[in-house]
């Protein structure tokens, strides 16, 4: 019997580590749902949870590449603060004077500026690490102090508010969601795309004469993936907008709320951004030379160099990418708050590193997945929100998260030893 | 006859120092097409350093490298590859976390028309060449850390052979192998030699050298002791060169 089950899992070709993490996440959810009397597993809470995970999740995908190549980036939280402050100043003090308040280009220029600035800072730090060979730990520890200090200088410590109205939509909230119809379109498109990709991969392998999974296994995996995507879409679409928010939206348009109208949130824009980032980063990791070189360098830096890979330039690119993702995270984080304060992103570096590590990224290098990092971020955020809902004191929350981090990595080490990987 | 031809590789007056230690001290070696030249010497004699200069891993402090009689500039491993120089390193230089195909094509990935890495095509090619080199090899989707020493070695060898090397550097290619696999490597060397590939073979094993090599260059403390035709010397002569730094030509 036991062998039969193992055989089924082998045929399905599922990653056992992935299953383990999903199991851990479900366990956390069920336990908190029990202790909160069913308030945890509600559309409302899962909506909030996914929005709260977005900023750290975006950065965690980049941290995977950084840690896989045996580096670390301690500066992302401070960098997020600095980039967030400059974006706040740009859209509040500079662009309205040039373009007029509420101009539709403001959020685009601000967002592009933030991503570009993040890339530049990251590339600069990567250059010091790659070409001047100062260890990443030191460079980014310095960066942590430098960028947090710089964030204060932007406005001498004053919080910038309010931010541009369109820009704020990128942070989620009542209006920063897709609504029912677009959410369904997106969900169906994503599920369809996943199935098409699975089918294409299968036919490509078959055309080379490789052994492929049995059809039932392929269909099961495809079915689970599609069900998860559509299930999430359905859940988000069953979270109704409060009547007050609906009234506000219609009042802003100068219209009256039609009788009997029930609007829903749908998928939040920051979550959409996270999903897009995850898709792009997974693609980069598995289908581009850059991604291949990241993993090769992490596995054996000397071998990568002897294979003609320019590992120094690679380091610059990896940190520039990390910086660009930090820029995106800064957009989400400041837009969600509706303001830019100089303490934005404090301690985020630790959340991001913990997410990547809980998600199975090995500090020894060479191993780590994008989906793992995002799951790791979700597990961390679930723990924190859950404890807050249950009413665990803040100091105890920190203790629990710290213990879980160490325990998760220990489990991962035991798992690796057992499977010999 | 051979000496009249332009050598495939000439390394002239090569020297390199690390922190004041002369690792390679004004050494000359050369290699003809279809020839196997053994490089012998104790650990630290400078043989690996010498060939790492040819493979682009190190840059020499001075001296020059001629390929087919023309001055070559080899500043990094990519340059070496562009001269069709392939190397099997003693450490194998494999990324343990990647599978055989990814290692075989590392730095030279097969790509689709969109420039994306084509893992399936690379695996198909890897299966093809492994079918020739080591038919027992089956672990195509495991990371190479899960492979045995011999299997890892065959991945490293396949990588050097696949890309039509003209100059092959083998640094202790049989160090990790059992008798069966060692024999396989010997046969491979004979075959590549017959195809006109020039091979530098670094080895500790005098018998390997006597059996496989046409000439042998012996190094000691970074200096070249001498180069001999293997047919003209005995095992003991070679040993005397390695241990005492004594050149048999000087005896006469």
């Amino acid at each position: 019997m036991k062998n039969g089950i193992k055989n089924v899992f082998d045929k399905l070709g599922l990653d056992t580590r992935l299953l383990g993490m999903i199991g851990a996440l479900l366990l956390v959810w069920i336990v908190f749902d029990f202790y909160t009397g069913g308030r945890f597993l509600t559309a409302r809470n899962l909506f909030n949870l996914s929005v709260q995970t977005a900023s750290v999740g975006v950065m965690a995908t980049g941290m995977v590449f950084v840690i896989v190549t045996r580096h670390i980036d301690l500066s992302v939280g401070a960098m997020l603060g600095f980039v967030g402050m400059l974006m706040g100043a740009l859209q509040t003090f500079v662009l309205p004077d040039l373009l007029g308040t509420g101009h539709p280009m403001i959020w685009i220029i601000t967002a592009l500026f933030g991503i570009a600035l993040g890339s530049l800072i990251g590339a600069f730090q990567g250059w010091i690490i790659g070409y001047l060979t100062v260890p990443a730990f030191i460079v980014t520890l310095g960066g942590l102090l430098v960028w947090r200090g710089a964030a204060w200088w932007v406005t001498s410590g004053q919080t910038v508010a309010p931010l541009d109205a369109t820009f704020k939509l990128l942070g989620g909230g009542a209006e920063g969601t897709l609504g029912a119809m677009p959410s369904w379109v997106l969900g169906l498109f994503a599920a369809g795309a996943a199935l098409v990709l699975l089918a294409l991969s299968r036919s490509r392998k078959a055309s080379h004469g490789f052994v492929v999974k049995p059809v039932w296994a392929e269909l099961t995996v495809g079915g689970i993936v599609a069900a998860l995507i559509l299930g999430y879409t359905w859940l988000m679409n069953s979270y109704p907008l409060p009547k007050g928010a609906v009234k506000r939206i219609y009042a802003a348009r100068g219209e009256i709320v039609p009788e009997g109208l029930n609007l829903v949130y749908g998928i939040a824009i920051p979550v959409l951004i996270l999903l897009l980032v995850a898709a792009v980063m997974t693609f980069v990791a598995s289908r581009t030379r850059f991604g291949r070189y990241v993993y090769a360098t992490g596995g054996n830096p000397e071998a990568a160099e002897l294979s003609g890979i320019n590992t120094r330039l690679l380091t610059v690119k990896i940190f520039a990418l990390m910086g660009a993702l930090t820029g995106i995270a800064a957009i989400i984080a400041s837009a969600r708050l509706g303001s830019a304060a100089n303490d934005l992103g404090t301690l985020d570096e630790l959340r991001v590193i913990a997410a990547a590590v809980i998600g199975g990224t090995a500090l020894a290098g060479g191993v780590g997945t994008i989906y793992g990092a995002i799951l790791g971020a979700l597990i961390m955020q679930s723990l924190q929100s859950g404890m807050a809902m249950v009413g665990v004191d803040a100091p105890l929350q920190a203790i629990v998260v710290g213990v879980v981090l160490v325990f998760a990595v220990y489990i991962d080490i035991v798992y690796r030893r057992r499977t010999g990987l | 006859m051979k000496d009249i031809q332009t050598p495939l590789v000439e390394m002239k007056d090569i020297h390199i120092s690390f922190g004041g230690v002369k690792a390679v001290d004004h050494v000359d070696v050369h290699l003809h097409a279809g020839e196997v030249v053994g490089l012998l010497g104790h650990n630290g004699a400078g043989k690996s350093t010498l060939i790492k200069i040819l493979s682009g891993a190190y840059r020499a402090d001075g001296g020059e490298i001629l390929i087919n009689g023309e001055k070559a500039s080899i500043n990094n491993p990519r340059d070496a590859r562009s001269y069709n120089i392939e190397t099997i390193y003693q450490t194998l230089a494999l990324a343990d976390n990647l599978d055989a195909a990814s290692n075989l094509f590392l730095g030279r990935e097969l790509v689709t028309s969109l420039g994306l890495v084509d893992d399936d095509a690379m695996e198909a090619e890897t299966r093809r060449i492994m079918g020739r080199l080591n038919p027992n090899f089956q672990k195509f989707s495991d990371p190479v850390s899960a492979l045995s020493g011999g299997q890892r070695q065959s991945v490293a060898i396949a990588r050097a052979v696949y890309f039509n090397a003209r100059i092959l550097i083998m640094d202790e290619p049989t160090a990790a192998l059992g008798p069966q696999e060692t024999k396989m490597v010997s046969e491979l060397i004979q075959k590549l030699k017959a195809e006109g590939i020039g091979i530098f073979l670094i080895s500790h094993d005098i018998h390997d050298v006597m059996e496989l090599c046409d000439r042998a260059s012996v190094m000691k403390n970074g200096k070249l002791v001498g180069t001999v035709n293997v047919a003209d010397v005995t095992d003991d002569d070679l040993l005397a060169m390695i241990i005492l730094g004594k050149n048999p030509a000087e005896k006469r």
Side-chain angles (χ1 to χ4, degrees):
Chain A
M1 186 59 207
K2 204 179 166 197
N3 268 338
I5 291 172
K6 190 176 176 298
N7 200 7
V8 169
F9 276 109
D10 279 353
K11 286 257 168 54
L12 286 172
L14 290 177
D15 182 354
T16 44
R17 172 185 280 124
L18 172 63
L19 293 178
M21 275 190 300
I22 291 175
L25 180 65
L26 289 180
L27 182 72
V28 169
W29 282 6
I30 290 168
V31 167
F32 279 128
D33 197 48
F34 179 75
Y35 279 105
T36 53
R39 277 189 298 133
F40 195 84
L41 288 180
T42 56
R44 176 195 159 132
N45 188 50
L46 292 176
F47 175 88
N48 287 337
L49 204 56
S50 60
V51 172
Q52 288 160 351
T53 307
S55 163
V56 166
V58 165
M59 288 190 281
T61 62
M63 192 61 81
V64 170
F65 283 7
V66 170
I67 297 179
V68 159
T69 48
R70 308 184 181 190
H71 294 302
I72 197 80
D73 193 337
L74 299 173
S75 70
V76 291
M79 209 199 291
L80 187 151
F82 178 59
V83 174
M85 283 304 285
L86 274 183
M87 283 195 300
L90 180 68
Q91 65 184 297
T92 310
F93 303 137
V94 181
L95 290 178
D97 289 349
L98 295 174
L99 302 169
T101 308
H103 191 281
M105 285 299 285
I106 289 182
W107 77 270
I108 298 177
I109 295 173
T110 305
L112 291 178
F113 167 78
I115 296 168
L117 179 67
S119 317
L120 269 179
I121 294 176
F124 176 60
Q125 294 189 150
W127 173 75
I128 300 177
I129 297 161
Y131 285 87
L132 306 186
T133 67
V134 182
F137 188 94
I138 301 300
V139 173
T140 58
L141 183 61
L144 187 158
L145 298 169
V146 168
W147 306 123
R148 184 59 69 197
W152 190 89
W153 276 109
V154 175
T155 58
S156 301
Q158 280 181 315
T159 299
V160 182
L163 298 184
D164 179 69
T166 322
F167 183 85
K168 279 200 279 189
L169 299 183
L170 300 173
E175 288 159 65
T177 61
L178 294 181
M181 203 53 198
S183 292
W184 276 122
V185 172
L186 178 78
L188 287 169
F189 173 77
L195 294 177
V196 168
L197 285 177
L198 278 173
L200 281 180
S201 163
R202 183 186 168 84
S203 73
R204 220 175 33 234
K205 284 196 189 331
S207 75
H208 282 288
F210 300 164
V211 182
V212 289
K213 288 187 234 172
V215 176
W216 66 263
E218 212 79 74
L219 286 176
T220 309
V221 172
I224 293 172
V225 171
L228 279 176
I229 296 172
L230 294 177
Y232 176 71
T233 311
W234 171 78
L235 198 63
M236 293 301 105
N237 274 343
S238 59
Y239 178 26
L241 272 176
K243 292 271 180 260
V246 178
K247 250 184 218 158
R248 233 181 14 253
I249 293 169
Y250 274 79
R253 289 196 218 140
E255 295 170 23
I256 309 160
V257 183
E259 201 58 41
L261 178 82
N262 285 310
L263 286 182
V264 296
Y265 277 85
I267 295 171
I269 291 175
V271 176
L272 176 64
I273 295 173
L274 173 62
L275 295 176
L276 283 176
V277 166
V280 170
M281 288 294 284
T282 303
F283 176 81
V284 168
S286 56
R287 296 301 308 276
T288 66
R289 289 189 156 180
F290 170 71
R292 183 59 45 87
Y293 295 167
V294 165
Y295 283 87
T297 304
N300 188 344
E302 199 203 3
E305 213 152 322
L306 292 175
S307 300
I309 296 169
N310 187 342
T311 51
R312 296 173 164 213
L313 184 59
L314 190 75
T315 304
V316 176
K317 288 182 189 167
I318 289 166
F319 278 88
L321 178 60
M322 179 77 249
L325 291 167
T326 306
I328 294 176
I331 295 169
I332 296 174
S334 60
R336 196 160 90 81
L337 292 178
S339 63
N342 65 63
D343 66 345
L344 194 67
T346 301
L347 287 184
D348 265 9
E349 57 280 345
L350 299 182
R351 294 192 189 102
V352 170
I353 293 167
V357 168
I358 286 182
T361 309
L363 285 167
V367 181
T369 57
I370 303 298
Y371 64 73
I374 291 173
L375 265 177
L378 191 54
I379 291 174
M380 293 273 296
Q381 189 58 49
S382 299
L383 272 176
Q384 266 175 332
S385 318
M387 284 190 291
M389 285 172 78
V390 173
V392 176
D393 293 338
L396 186 58
Q397 285 186 27
I399 292 174
V400 171
V401 170
V403 171
V404 166
L405 173 64
V406 176
F407 185 69
V409 172
Y410 170 68
I411 294 286
D412 198 44
I413 288 171
V414 172
Y415 169 82
R416 270 176 230 269
R417 203 179 292 148
R418 290 254 173 97
T419 53
L421 292 176
Chain B
M1 181 62 200
K2 256 182 190 163
D3 286 305
I4 305 165
Q5 294 176 343
T6 312
L8 191 53
V9 183
E10 281 177 277
M11 297 182 79
K12 288 183 173 170
D13 198 32
I14 301 289
H15 51 100
I16 186 171
S17 304
F18 297 109
V21 178
K22 289 177 177 170
V24 174
D25 193 1
H26 301 277
V27 168
D28 298 87
V29 290
H30 64 278
L31 175 70
H32 288 277
E35 186 186 38
V36 183
V37 171
L39 286 175
L40 287 122
H42 282 307
N43 285 335
K47 1 178 249 306
S48 286
T49 310
L50 179 68
I51 61 104
K52 277 191 172 170
I53 290 168
L54 182 58
S55 70
Y58 294 147
R59 287 178 71 167
D61 295 340
E64 58 177 7
I65 300 174
L66 306 181
I67 308 279
N68 283 329
E70 282 174 34
K71 195 170 178 340
S73 86
I74 298 177
N75 295 318
N76 56 50
R78 245 166 308 158
D79 290 347
R81 285 180 166 189
S82 71
Y83 287 106
N84 292 336
I85 300 171
E86 294 290 335
T87 311
I88 301 165
Y89 292 97
Q90 188 173 5
T91 55
L92 302 185
L94 298 173
D96 280 338
N97 54 333
L98 303 183
D99 61 15
S102 302
N103 269 292
L104 206 154
F105 288 94
L106 191 55
R108 296 181 280 204
E109 288 75 13
L110 298 180
V111 290
T112 63
S113 48
L114 294 172
L116 306 173
V117 295
D118 192 342
D119 281 313
D120 295 326
M122 288 193 278
E123 185 179 331
E125 283 298 292
T126 307
R127 284 175 183 272
R128 205 172 55 74
I129 189 167
M130 280 304 187
R132 256 183 334 126
L133 278 180
N134 185 355
N136 296 328
F137 192 95
Q138 288 304 332
K139 293 186 170 177
F140 289 99
S141 47
D142 289 339
V144 298
S145 60
L147 308 184
S148 72
Q151 288 170 331
R152 290 160 57 82
Q153 190 93 42
S154 46
V155 174
I157 292 174
R159 172 166 63 184
V161 176
Y162 179 83
F163 293 94
N164 301 320
R166 282 194 306 146
I167 300 154
L168 188 59
I169 301 167
M170 303 175 106
D171 193 348
E172 302 279 1
T174 58
L177 303 185
Q180 190 69 35
E181 288 152 322
T182 304
K183 192 160 156 274
M184 188 192 86
V185 172
S186 302
E187 285 165 7
L188 180 69
I189 291 175
Q190 305 282 9
K191 191 169 137 270
L192 295 173
K193 182 181 143 124
E195 288 172 12
I197 295 170
I199 301 174
F200 274 122
L201 177 68
I202 296 187
S203 182
H204 272 99
D205 189 332
I206 300 263
H207 300 290
D208 269 2
V209 173
M210 293 300 282
E211 186 195 324
L212 295 170
C213 298
D214 301 295
R215 290 185 296 123
S217 292
V218 179
M219 291 180 72
K220 185 174 164 68
N221 299 334
K223 288 196 170 64
L224 184 71
V225 176
T227 302
V228 294
N229 284 322
V230 168
D232 301 344
V233 293
T234 62
D235 291 18
D236 288 343
D237 288 337
L238 281 178
L239 274 175
M241 290 174 80
I242 294 166
I243 298 167
L244 305 170
K246 204 168 75 179
N247 204 327
E250 287 163 8
K251 284 194 296 198
R252 289 162 205 155

